[in-house]
């Protein structure tokens, strides 16, 4: 094997600096060789460096677990050590930190060896008991890299520097940024409380725009919020430049701008006569964003579009939906013109292609329901058809706010996943992602039962076991529906139900039970209930991104029917109690959807007689709430067809044990008399339904 001398990349860096561009530089070879090459090239380099590696010879390197430790910083050179594992979210985040004129250095084996290389991160995408030796994700890289504007220094083949042609010097294009700052300035001067939502790709001057806005309004006080202070340094820097004041890079208070982390901001709210700026909003849970919006007099939310910031696209999807429902006239602005580097940046282009960040879903020009086909797509088909892969991943991204570029790798590299789709001509209009779980042998079952193992994957099987210790859910074969995504313009046409039915029919002879886990709201729960799935578990903690409890539903074949009945009965008993405390804030429509699926139980004769007595009693009904509660728990179907106000009263007052004052306020029962009339109506309606059924 030839071992080439360290390469002089000065001509590359010089040209990149002249063009105000960035580039990806691959060091391909043995790990120690690649590290030595990097040290030889950059040890005496005067520019700023970020090193992500676990190699012992790189003394200043680190391997952060959280992306917010990377975001919001700028470096001339960033090193990503692929030998520590190719984690797409992390690689995408690192690429966003590279300055114009800089390079992202990626250490890899020789490109010809990528298809056989054992990537340490490969196990991340694989369930216990599956083969992890093959990575279609990296094989795709093999095909793409030679055609991309990337420089390569190979231990075997030497250097192939991709030195770009010189471009005419360009003036930094800040027109679009100025327009955004002007629009925000005008909006705030009018004391308009409608929030603004700003979206931008990396390098578009989003944070600096916030700093310029603050500088243009010195008579107003601003608070800027982000998970990490380093994420808002650009904002402080541009404020200082615009106001010609000194900034040392660590001040939390500068002129009329003050930094607060999210927890401190919520503790100090409401902040009167202060404008709240949220930078890197996608790193914050959606419920936190909602609380800030509800308590701030005026607020602006800004974040990047790429889905690697932590809570994926909760910012651009779920939070935007919330704003639209509360503020129909809320404003969205976007920054598309690069500022930190020129248009046509080679690094941005390469990372977008390698990680499918440029995937865009294109609607079919025409749609005919009878022209759709239900098919299964193999990972081989996806990896060899870029158009098909882009359509599929783009659908998953727009359909769910937590889809990230890590999911892109899992789509190609998880051996336990299967993908089903709805095809219409050359377009994919729906996908269903399924993970095969369970079928665990006796040895691993014993280790799970004893608490000594939690094997990778098999999420549904293990969670169902931990409810009541039922081992059949570990040994049986399960199909967990990870995600169903239908093109937005074709939703509510029963395509999701039809696709799920196709999946069930395809797998029914090899699968013992189907299941799914999702953020539980009423429409989504109804979807699964209408397909015959039973809710058997509700998460105890709210999801940080969605603010919803996780629901677990299953649909078993006949051999597991008894186990499913046991789970359902256990869940009903637990929730009957937990509604009165832990879940007392669950929305009434959701509670109604849950409990009306429970089987009715016989009402004791004396309980019916007591209900008859109080149904004809017109006073002091509050003392009988325990009796009414017992009737509803035994016969939850009684709530199905009664008026909505009675449903809400039964759920919020009796099942959830909220205070009378809270219920009166929530249901707009403004007086004691109105409350008593509503309670009397509820009792009469329950008794009338019992009488009809009997």
């Amino acid at each position: 094997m030839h071992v080439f001398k360290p390469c002089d990349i000065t001509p590359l860096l010089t040209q990149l600096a002249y063009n105000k561009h960035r580039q990806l530089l691959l060091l391909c070879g043995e790990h120690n060789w690649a590290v030595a090459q990097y040290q030889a090239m950059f040890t005496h380099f005067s520019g700023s460096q970020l090193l992500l590696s676990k190699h012992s010879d790189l003394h200043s390197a680190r391997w952060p677990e959280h992306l917010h430790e990377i975001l919001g910083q700028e470096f001339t050179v960033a090193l990503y050590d692929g030998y520590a594992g190719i984690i797409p979210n992390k690689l995408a985040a690192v690429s966003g930190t590279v300055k114009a004129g800089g390079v992202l250095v990626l250490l890899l084996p020789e490109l010809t060896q990528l298809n056989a290389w054992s990537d340490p991160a490969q196990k991340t995408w694989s369930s216990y008991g599956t083969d992890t030796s093959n990575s279609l994700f990296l094989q795709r890289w093999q095909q793409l890299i030679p055609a991309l504007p990337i420089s390569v220094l190979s231990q075997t083949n030497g250097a192939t520097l991709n030195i770009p042609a010189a471009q005419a010097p360009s003036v930094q294009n800040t027109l679009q940024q100025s327009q955004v700052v002007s629009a925000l300035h005008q909006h705030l001067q009018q004391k308009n409380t409608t929030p603004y939502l700003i979206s931008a790709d990396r390098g578009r001057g989003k944070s600096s725009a916030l700093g310029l806005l603050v500088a243009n309004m010195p008579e107003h006080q601003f608070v800027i919020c982000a998970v990490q202070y380093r994420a808002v340094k650009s904002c402080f820097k541009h404020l200082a430049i615009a106001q010609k004041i000194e900034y040392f890079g660590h001040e939390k208070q500068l002129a009329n701008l003050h930094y607060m982390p999210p927890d401190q901001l919520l503790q100090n709210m409401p902040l009167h006569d202060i404008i709240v700026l949220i930078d890197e909003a996608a790193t914050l849970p959606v419920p936190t964003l909602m609380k800030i919006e509800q308590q701030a007099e005026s607020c602006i939310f800004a974040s990047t579009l790429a889905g690697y910031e932590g809570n994926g696209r909760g910012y651009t999807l779920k939070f935007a939906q919330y704003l639209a429902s509360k503020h129909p006239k809320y404003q969205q602005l976007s920054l598309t013109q690069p500022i930190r580097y020129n248009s046509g940046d080679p690094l941005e282009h390469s990372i977008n292609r390698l990680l499918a960040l440029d995937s865009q879903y294109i609607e079919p020009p025409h749609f005919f329901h009878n022209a759709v086909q239900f098919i299964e797509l193999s990972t081989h088909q996806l990896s060899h058809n870029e158009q098909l892969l882009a359509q599929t991943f783009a659908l998953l991204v727009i359909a769910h706010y937590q889809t990230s570029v890590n999911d892109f790798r899992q789509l190609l590299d998880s051996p336990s996943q299967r993908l089903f789709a709805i095809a219409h001509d050359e377009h994919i209009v729906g996908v269903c992602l399924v993970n095969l779980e369970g079928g665990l042998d006796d040895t691993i079952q014993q280790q799970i039962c004893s608490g000594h193992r939690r094997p990778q994957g098999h999420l549904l099987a293990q969670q169902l076991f931990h409810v009541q210790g039922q081992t059949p859910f570990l040994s049986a074969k399960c199909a967990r529906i990870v995600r169903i995504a239908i093109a937005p313009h074709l939703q509510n046409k029963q395509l999701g139900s039809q696709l799920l039915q196709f999946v069930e029919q395809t797998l029914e002879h090899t699968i013992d039970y189907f299941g799914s886990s999702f953020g539980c709201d009423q429409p989504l729960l109804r979807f699964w209930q209408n397909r015959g799935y039973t809710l058997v578990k509700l998460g105890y903690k709210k999801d940080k991104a969605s603010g919803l409890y996780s629901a677990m539903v299953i649909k078993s074949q006949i051999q597991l029917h008894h186990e499913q009945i046991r789970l359902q009965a256990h869940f009903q008993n637990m929730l009957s109690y937990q509604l009165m405390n832990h879940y007392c804030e669950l929305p009434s429509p959701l509670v109604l959807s849950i409990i009306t699926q429970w089987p009715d139980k016989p009402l004791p004769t004396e309980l019916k007689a007591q209900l008859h007595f109080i149904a004809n009693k017109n006073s002091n009904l509050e003392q009988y709430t325990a009796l009414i509660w017992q009737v509803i728990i035994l016969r939850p179907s009684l709530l199905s067809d009664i008026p909505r106000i009675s449903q809400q009263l039964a759920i919020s007052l009796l099942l959830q044990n909220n205070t009378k004052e809270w219920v009166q306020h929530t249901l707009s029962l403004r007086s004691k008399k109105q409350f008593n009339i509503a309670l009397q109506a509820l009792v009469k309606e329950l008794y009338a339904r019992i009488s009809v059924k009997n």
Side-chain angles (χ1 to χ4, degrees):
M1 175 183 288
H2 299 288
V3 178
F4 291 90
K5 295 179 180 179
C7 175
D8 180 11
I9 63 168
T10 303
L12 173 64
L13 294 175
T14 301
Q15 195 61 58
L16 289 174
Y18 182 82
N19 289 352
K20 294 183 179 178
H21 276 165
R22 311 165 306 155
Q23 197 179 100
L24 180 60
L25 169 63
L26 303 184
L27 300 184
C28 298
E30 296 170 356
H31 195 191
N32 289 338
W33 176 87
V35 169
Q37 289 296 309
Y38 178 83
Q39 291 174 321
M41 284 189 285
F42 293 105
T43 296
H44 301 293
F45 183 71
S46 59
S48 56
Q49 299 181 53
L50 169 68
L51 278 63
L52 300 191
S53 175
K54 298 179 182 179
H55 198 284
S56 58
D57 288 350
L58 296 170
H59 303 298
S60 60
R62 53 198 177 99
W63 191 254
E65 294 298 321
H66 304 289
L67 298 186
H68 62 69
E69 299 176 55
I70 301 171
L71 299 173
Q73 303 175 81
E74 289 186 309
F75 303 93
T76 307
V77 176
L79 167 74
Y80 186 103
D81 188 348
Y83 280 93
I86 303 296
I87 302 173
N89 279 9
K90 190 170 291 188
L91 181 60
V94 172
S95 71
T97 69
V98 181
K99 295 179 182 179
V103 290
L104 171 59
V105 182
L106 176 59
L107 309 189
L108 287 175
E110 296 287 0
L111 294 180
T112 56
Q113 299 174 6
L114 275 184
N115 60 327
W117 176 50
S118 181
D119 176 9
Q122 176 67 13
K123 61 183 179 182
T124 305
W125 327 116
S126 304
S127 297
Y128 167 83
T130 57
D131 180 21
T132 62
S133 59
N134 187 38
S135 172
L136 291 176
F137 174 81
L138 293 177
Q139 288 183 31
R140 176 177 172 272
W141 275 19
Q142 277 184 314
Q143 303 301 315
L144 290 179
I145 286 173
L148 293 173
I150 296 173
S151 292
V152 181
L153 176 58
S154 163
Q155 186 176 3
T156 302
N157 302 313
T160 305
L161 295 185
N162 197 315
I163 301 177
Q167 294 186 353
S170 61
V171 178
Q172 188 179 46
N173 190 344
T174 59
L175 175 61
Q176 189 181 54
Q177 184 190 61
S178 298
Q179 291 172 339
V180 168
V181 172
S182 177
L184 294 174
H185 189 172
Q186 183 178 359
H187 171 78
L188 295 173
Q189 287 284 43
Q190 295 171 350
K191 297 186 177 180
N192 194 327
T193 58
T194 303
Y196 254 87
L197 189 148
I198 305 172
S199 300
D201 282 325
R202 293 243 161 247
R204 268 62 182 175
K206 163 187 57 63
S207 296
S208 58
L210 297 179
L212 294 172
L213 173 66
V214 176
N216 289 347
M217 303 182 70
E219 72 281 5
H220 290 79
Q221 292 297 312
F222 290 81
V223 165
I224 188 164
C225 173
V227 175
Q228 294 285 323
Y229 172 74
R230 62 170 65 98
V232 299
K233 281 188 175 183
S234 177
C235 180
F236 278 93
K237 173 185 172 184
H238 283 82
L239 167 63
I241 293 172
Q243 293 195 353
K244 296 181 173 58
I245 55 180
E246 210 166 21
Y247 173 57
F248 296 98
H250 56 76
E251 294 90 336
K252 305 292 178 67
Q253 170 83 53
L254 191 69
N256 55 326
L257 180 64
H258 182 68
Y259 166 75
M260 283 189 189
D263 54 348
Q264 185 181 342
L265 177 65
L266 289 173
Q267 288 172 8
N268 285 277
M269 286 190 123
L271 299 170
H272 298 290
D273 299 321
I274 291 180
I275 300 167
V276 178
L277 309 175
I278 310 299
D279 201 4
E280 297 300 350
T283 62
L284 298 180
V286 170
T288 299
L289 299 177
M290 292 166 63
K291 288 180 182 177
I292 293 171
E293 185 278 326
Q294 290 161 7
Q295 298 184 49
E297 293 182 12
S298 186
C299 51
I300 295 169
F301 299 88
S303 198
T304 48
L305 290 173
Y308 54 77
E309 276 78 3
N311 291 316
R313 298 194 60 187
Y315 169 68
T316 52
L317 294 177
K318 200 160 188 75
F319 184 56
Q321 292 169 6
Y322 161 78
L323 288 182
S325 65
K326 187 175 179 182
H327 303 279
K329 295 184 179 180
Y330 89 97
Q331 298 291 315
Q332 287 199 66
L333 297 174
S334 60
L335 289 163
T336 57
Q337 177 66 43
I339 290 180
R340 285 202 280 126
Y341 39 84
N342 276 337
S343 297
D345 179 61
L347 176 60
E348 184 175 68
H349 175 69
S350 298
I351 291 296
N352 283 348
R353 293 291 294 118
L354 292 174
L355 302 182
L357 285 168
D358 56 356
S359 297
Q360 297 290 327
Y361 183 73
I362 301 174
E363 297 180 2
H366 306 286
F367 179 78
F368 303 99
H369 205 291
N370 58 1
V372 301
Q373 288 182 299
F374 295 91
I375 59 175
E376 182 173 0
L377 295 173
S378 69
T379 51
H380 183 270
Q381 287 175 286
L382 292 175
S383 64
H384 287 78
N385 186 330
E386 279 293 308
Q387 182 181 355
L388 181 66
L389 180 61
Q391 283 188 56
T392 301
F393 186 61
L395 249 183
L396 291 170
V397 168
I398 63 177
H400 197 279
Y401 60 91
Q402 284 186 314
T403 302
S404 72
V405 284
N406 274 356
D407 295 301
F408 176 67
R409 177 164 189 182
Q410 186 157 14
L411 182 66
L412 291 174
D413 277 1
S414 174
S416 59
Q417 281 192 347
R418 292 176 68 173
L419 182 68
F420 301 85
I422 307 174
H424 184 273
D425 293 333
E426 299 297 318
H427 293 264
I428 299 298
V429 297
V431 292
C432 179
L433 193 61
V434 178
N435 199 57
L436 303 183
E437 302 178 355
L440 299 170
D441 59 44
D442 291 341
T443 301
I444 193 67
Q445 284 187 52
Q446 291 172 6
Q447 293 172 340
I448 293 172
C449 293
S450 64
H452 291 100
R453 287 287 300 274
R454 291 187 69 90
Q456 176 84 9
H458 305 280
L459 300 179
L460 195 67
Q462 293 187 75
Q463 288 185 13
L464 290 175
F465 162 76
H466 285 295
V467 174
Q468 281 188 297
Q470 297 183 69
T471 56
F473 287 112
L474 297 175
S475 57
K477 294 182 178 179
C478 163
R480 177 169 62 91
I481 313 300
V482 178
R483 193 152 300 155
I484 298 176
I486 303 297
H489 70 296
L490 296 176
Q491 292 176 4
N492 301 314
K493 297 182 182 295
Q494 298 300 309
L495 289 174
S497 295
Q498 293 172 27
L499 180 56
L500 181 57
Q501 184 178 14
F502 172 71
V503 171
E504 292 170 353
Q505 291 173 345
T506 304
L507 299 176
E508 63 182 349
H509 297 300
T510 57
I511 292 298
D512 299 309
Y513 65 103
F514 297 85
S516 188
S517 182
F518 52 90
C520 191
D521 60 19
Q522 189 200 26
L524 198 49
L525 178 61
R526 277 293 188 195
F527 168 83
W528 289 101
Q529 289 174 333
N530 291 339
R531 287 293 311 145
Y533 285 72
T534 299
L535 179 62
V536 295
K537 184 180 178 183
L538 201 60
Y540 205 67
K541 293 182 179 179
K542 290 182 179 180
D543 180 81
K544 289 183 178 180
S546 69
L548 300 174
Y549 293 103
S550 176
M552 191 178 300
V553 295
I554 64 170
K555 182 180 183 179
S556 62
Q557 308 280 40
I558 189 65
Q559 58 269 32
L560 283 177
H561 182 67
H562 176 69
E563 282 76 11
Q564 178 173 321
I565 294 296
R566 278 184 57 195
L567 275 179
Q568 184 180 4
H570 175 76
F571 174 66
Q572 180 175 347
N573 291 334
M574 295 288 287
L575 192 64
S576 298
Y577 170 75
Q578 291 171 332
L579 278 173
M580 294 188 292
N581 41 72
H582 189 72
Y583 299 117
C584 65
E585 294 182 359
L586 274 186
S588 295
L590 176 57
V591 176
L592 185 68
S593 293
I594 294 173
I595 67 173
T596 51
Q597 296 295 307
W598 293 349
D600 284 343
K601 297 176 182 178
L603 278 179
T605 303
E606 62 181 48
L607 188 58
K608 285 189 283 188
Q610 287 177 305
L611 188 63
H612 171 73
F613 169 70
I614 66 171
N616 293 285
K617 188 177 175 65
N618 293 321
S619 61
N620 299 323
L621 291 185
E622 286 184 65
Q623 63 183 304
Y624 297 104
T625 52
L627 184 150
I628 307 169
W629 174 87
Q630 190 176 4
V631 170
I632 295 171
I633 288 298
L634 290 173
R635 290 280 187 90
S637 67
L638 294 174
L639 297 184
S640 297
D641 301 321
I642 64 176
R644 184 178 178 183
I645 185 69
S646 294
Q647 292 174 342
Q648 292 177 311
L649 181 62
I651 291 169
S652 60
L653 178 70
L654 304 176
L655 298 186
Q656 294 181 307
N657 198 33
N658 287 300
T659 65
K660 176 182 174 181
E661 292 73 22
W662 186 90
V663 172
Q664 282 186 253
H665 174 74
T666 304
L667 303 185
S668 299
L669 301 172
R670 294 181 175 83
S671 66
K672 181 178 180 181
K673 182 178 180 180
Q674 287 181 323
F675 176 81
N676 289 334
I677 291 173
L679 189 56
Q680 289 167 10
L682 169 62
V683 173
K684 291 180 184 296
E685 288 153 3
L686 292 175
Y687 183 71
R689 291 210 64 205
I690 291 173
S691 301
V692 170
K693 287 193 172 185
N694 292 338

